[in-house]
């Protein structure tokens, strides 16, 4: 877009009113308002202002006082008038106004010390670990964005952007766009062994929102939820914000220890699990544990939230199907996302809801954002139903498998037996277990300073971390860059005091 085009988009009507009872002439009132707006920064340098004709119409005055005010604003250097390009605020505010500008803060600043927020908000914090601030190797959760068929996706978006039916521009169904729900139910049945009809699918703005909605529908403030320990920090944040009491339950090679969960939190109302590929340790939940968990839910009248976030990418011989597909008592709420299989900025995921809970989920959704943008949902439905999604998945599975093998080989040759690699059967990340005395946050911090992004395992614990390690994503790292990045990482880890 040209800078001229961008300026034109900023010609907003001015929120001013003329005081006809005032002795201050109208042209002066207009001049004063715009002068103050420029000096205080309310109007930005180069920002367009309305035409004199348009402003006169809006203020319901004749054009003469508006012309007089604008002429003076131009003469004094606040505005510039460009032939054919309208009038705009001067590029730089003349130096004589600088002191006044400093005196007039654009934004209202809070006074005093810490101020009151809800207890719920006070318990939350932004994860601003330096490992999340750049996209270097081995940033977890980021797919191979440079391999995404953006031109095809763009053509699907343009299809609706250019000529969406009027009905698509109004309020849509709070369960989501019907064509996308159809496309997803077909995919889930065929690929994930999920048993559901399209009417049970709710389109959400990513898993994160799915967790928020499920927490609020299924549980009340203070209710307990069994959590895998270590587990997914995104789920910790969602449940904390919903006021739930999280009961950490250890995971072992078979996934969540259900018997231990029963012991630690009798009466818990739900369990959150990642049974296909435990986050962050990467094991699959064994069949026995799956059945134990389903039995627990039935006996306790509790719910299971199954987060199936990346198991489309499986590299072992056997596919691991969903827990939902084993459930005969409709106790599982299944959650999926397009963040890994498409791209995270899409912000589209889905819940599969037991039939008798649909109206409660809908009501909760209508109290929130109602539904994600319809045109994006429709474009995604076409992307899936026209075969682009399946093709992209197939390609990415091959690509990630190569990256994964290279990463495992590279770590094995660089670290030898000094670290243990876990969770390589699925997904886009693996975890390196470090010696217990190693401070994984320190490793991640130093890796970040060296341009590497690794997530410290200790950020995944609700209680005191018992295992030290780092999560390495391989989705977005070129195969050719893996060896040198692992070499750099090895130097950092080896220099760690506990190593
Ligand atoms: C366990 C787990 N669930 C869900 C997600 C995806 O979240 P969202 O759909 O909100 O992008 C991730 C991404 O890293 C994850 O690790």
């Amino acid at each position: 877009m040209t800078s001229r085009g961008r300026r034109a988009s900023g010609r907003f009507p001015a929120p001013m009113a003329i005081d006809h009872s005032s002795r201050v002439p109208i042209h002066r009132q207009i001049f004063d308002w715009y002068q103050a707006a420029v000096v205080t920064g309310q109007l930005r340098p180069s920002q367009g202002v309305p035409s004199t004709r348009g402003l006169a119409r809006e203020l319901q005055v004749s054009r003469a006082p508006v012309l007089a005010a604008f002429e003076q604003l131009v003469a004094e250097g606040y505005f510039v008038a460009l032939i054919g390009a309208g009038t705009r605020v001067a590029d730089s505010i003349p130096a004589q106004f600088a002191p006044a500008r400093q005196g007039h803060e654009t934004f209202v600043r809070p006074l005093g010390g810490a101020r009151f927020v809800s207890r719920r908000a006070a318990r939350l914090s932004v994860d601003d670990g330096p490992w999340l601030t750049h996209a270097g190797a081995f940033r977890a959760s980021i797919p191979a964005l440079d391999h995404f068929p953006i031109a095809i996706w763009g053509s699907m978006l343009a299809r609706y952007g250019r000529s969406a039916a009027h009905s698509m521009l109004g309020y849509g169904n709070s369960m989501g766009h019907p064509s996308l729900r159809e496309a997803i139910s077909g995919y889930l049945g065929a690929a994930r062994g999920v048993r559901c009809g399209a009417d049970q699918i709710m389109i959400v703005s990513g898993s994160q929102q799915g967790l928020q909605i499920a927490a609020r529908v299924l549980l009340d403030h203070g209710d307990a939820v069994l959590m895998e320990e270590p587990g997914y920090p995104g789920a910790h944040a969602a449940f904390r914000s919903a006021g739930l009491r999280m009961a950490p339950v250890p995971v072992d090679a078979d996934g969540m220890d259900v018997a231990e969960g029963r012991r630690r939190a009798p009466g818990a109302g739900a369990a959150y699990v990642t049974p296909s590929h435990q986050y962050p340790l990467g094991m699959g939940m064994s069949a026995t544990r799956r059945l134990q968990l389903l039995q627990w839910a039935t006996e306790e009248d509790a719910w299971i939230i199954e987060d199936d976030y990346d198991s489309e990418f499986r590299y072992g011989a056997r596919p691991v199907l969903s827990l939902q597909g084993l459930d005969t008592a409709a106790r599982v709420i299944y959650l999926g996302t397009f963040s890994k299989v498409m791209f995270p900025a899409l912000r589209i995921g889905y819940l599969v809801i037991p039939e008798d809970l649909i109206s409660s989920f809908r009501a909760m959704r209508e109290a929130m954002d109602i539904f994600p943008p319809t045109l994006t949902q429709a474009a995604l439905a076409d992307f899936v139903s026209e075969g682009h999604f399946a093709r992209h998945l197939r390609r990415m599975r091959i690509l990630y498998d190569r990256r994964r093998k290279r990463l495992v080989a590279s770590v094995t040759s660089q670290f030898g037996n000094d670290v243990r690699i876990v969770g390589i059967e699925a997904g886009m990340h693996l975890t390196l277990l470090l010696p217990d005395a190693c401070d994984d946050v320190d490793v991640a911090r130093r890796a970040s300073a060296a341009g590497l992004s690794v997530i410290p395992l200790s950020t995944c614990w609700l209680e005191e971390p018992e295992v030290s390690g780092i999560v390495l994503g391989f989705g977005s790292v070129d195969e050719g860059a893996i060896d040198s990045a692992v070499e750099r990482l090895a130097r950092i880890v080896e220099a760690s005091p506990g190593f």
Side-chain angles (χ1 to χ4, degrees):
M1 188 192 275
T2 63
S3 57
R4 201 176 133 184
R6 217 176 293 141
R7 275 198 298 272
S9 68
R11 295 183 198 286
F12 301 112
M16 93 168 106
I18 297 297
D19 180 357
H20 291 280
S21 63
S22 165
R23 296 216 325 253
V24 179
I26 291 175
H27 71 87
R28 186 76 219 179
Q29 291 187 40
I30 296 170
F31 175 89
D32 287 348
W33 190 90
Y34 272 106
Q35 183 199 41
V38 171
V39 169
T40 59
Q42 206 177 320
L43 281 171
R44 311 294 159 95
S46 299
Q47 188 164 358
V49 294
S51 67
T52 50
R53 200 182 305 275
L55 186 61
R57 202 179 314 119
E58 219 176 281
L59 298 177
Q60 298 178 9
V61 297
S62 75
R63 199 167 158 218
V66 182
L67 274 171
F70 273 37
E71 270 165 24
Q72 196 182 345
L73 286 158
V74 171
E76 295 193 18
Y78 296 102
F79 281 3
V80 286
L82 298 176
I83 294 162
T87 303
R88 58 186 170 85
V89 177
D91 277 337
S92 56
I93 300 305
Q96 72 263 30
F97 303 131
R101 238 172 121 67
Q102 275 162 16
H104 293 79
E105 289 286 359
T106 307
F107 303 107
V108 178
R109 304 258 174 244
L111 296 173
R115 303 197 296 170
F116 170 81
V117 292
S118 71
R119 281 201 296 278
R120 207 182 307 111
R123 276 198 299 269
L124 295 173
S125 60
V126 175
D127 183 355
D128 52 5
W131 43 87
L132 294 179
T133 56
H134 60 80
F138 298 97
R139 178 73 203 266
S141 303
I142 304 291
L145 300 175
D146 50 344
H147 288 256
F148 182 72
I150 192 73
I152 296 176
W153 173 243
S155 68
M156 315 263 123
L157 279 178
R159 189 180 285 173
Y160 292 97
R162 270 198 305 268
S163 56
H166 289 166
S167 59
M168 290 177 78
L169 304 182
Y171 282 99
N173 188 327
S174 51
M175 290 295 281
H177 195 55
S179 64
L180 181 56
R181 295 162 67 207
E182 274 304 332
I184 291 173
S185 76
Y187 159 68
L188 287 179
R192 303 294 310 124
V194 172
R195 294 186 297 173
C196 68
D199 56 329
Q200 288 173 260
I201 293 181
M202 171 183 273
I203 311 299
V204 291
S205 300
S207 316
Q208 202 56 32
Q209 190 190 40
L211 293 169
Q212 293 279 3
I213 297 173
R216 284 168 169 77
V217 171
L218 304 174
L219 299 166
D220 280 308
H221 198 275
D223 283 352
V225 54
L226 305 185
M227 302 296 292
E228 295 170 332
E229 176 84 328
Y232 177 46
H236 296 166
F239 295 161
R240 198 170 282 130
S241 80
L244 305 190
R245 191 158 52 81
M246 286 179 278
V249 182
V251 294
D252 58 23
D254 290 326
M256 178 186 270
D257 183 342
V258 180
E260 185 62 16
R262 277 183 191 264
R263 203 180 58 74
R264 288 197 183 191
Y272 164 82
V273 282
T274 48
S276 301
H277 187 220
Q278 202 271 338
Y279 190 91
L281 296 179
M283 74 291 277
M285 193 176 207
S286 68
T288 308
R289 288 280 173 78
R290 286 170 187 246
L291 295 172
Q292 284 176 350
L293 190 63
L294 289 167
Q295 193 182 358
W296 164 82
T298 309
E299 285 172 12
E300 297 293 321
D301 195 13
W303 304 106
I304 299 169
I305 302 169
E306 174 180 16
D307 183 356
D308 197 13
Y309 62 104
D310 73 354
S311 53
E312 286 86 354
F313 302 122
R314 277 214 81 77
Y315 313 109
R318 267 185 325 118
V320 173
L321 295 183
S322 65
L323 181 60
Q324 195 267 10
L326 279 180
D327 176 20
T328 51
R331 286 276 156 201
V332 176
I333 289 82
Y334 177 91
L335 173 62
T337 178
F338 284 97
S339 287
K340 315 252 172 167
V341 288
M342 297 273 286
F343 53 93
L346 186 61
R347 302 317 301 145
I348 292 193
Y350 43 88
L351 286 164
V352 180
I353 304 166
E355 274 170 4
D356 56 331
L357 299 188
I358 291 174
S359 60
S360 300
F361 272 81
R362 275 195 70 173
M364 186 58 73
R365 187 63 192 273
E366 288 183 8
M368 297 174 132
D369 65 332
I370 316 181
F371 58 88
T374 303
L375 303 189
T376 314
Q377 294 187 64
L380 181 53
D382 288 2
F383 192 84
V384 176
S385 60
E386 291 175 21
H388 305 296
F389 178 60
R391 193 171 316 118
H392 181 56
L393 272 187
R394 274 197 304 278
R395 288 189 181 142
M396 291 307 98
R397 198 171 285 145
I398 294 167
L399 181 77
Y400 296 151
D401 194 20
R402 284 208 307 268
R403 293 180 175 183
R404 175 188 76 111
K405 285 182 178 138
R406 185 65 171 262
L407 180 57
V408 172
S410 196
V411 169
T412 310
S413 87
Q414 288 287 333
F415 286 88
N417 292 330
D418 296 331
V419 300
R420 199 152 72 81
I421 308 173
V422 295
I424 58 171
E425 293 299 309
M428 290 176 358
H429 70 264
L430 52 77
T431 298
L432 297 192
L433 299 183
L434 303 174
D436 285 350
C438 244
D439 178 349
D440 54 16
V441 171
D442 178 59
V443 168
R445 202 166 275 137
R446 286 187 299 114
S448 165
L452 299 171
S453 169
V454 300
I455 295 184
L457 205 54
S458 51
T459 58
C460 300
W461 294 73
L462 285 166
E463 289 184 335
E464 220 21 59
E466 285 171 16
V467 182
S468 174
I470 44 179
V471 179
L472 271 59
F474 50 81
S476 61
V477 200
D478 278 344
E479 214 181 320
I482 289 179
D483 285 347
S484 69
V486 171
E487 221 180 290
R488 270 187 289 155
L489 182 64
R491 279 201 298 274
I492 289 161
V493 173
E494 281 157 13
S496 176
F499 193 75

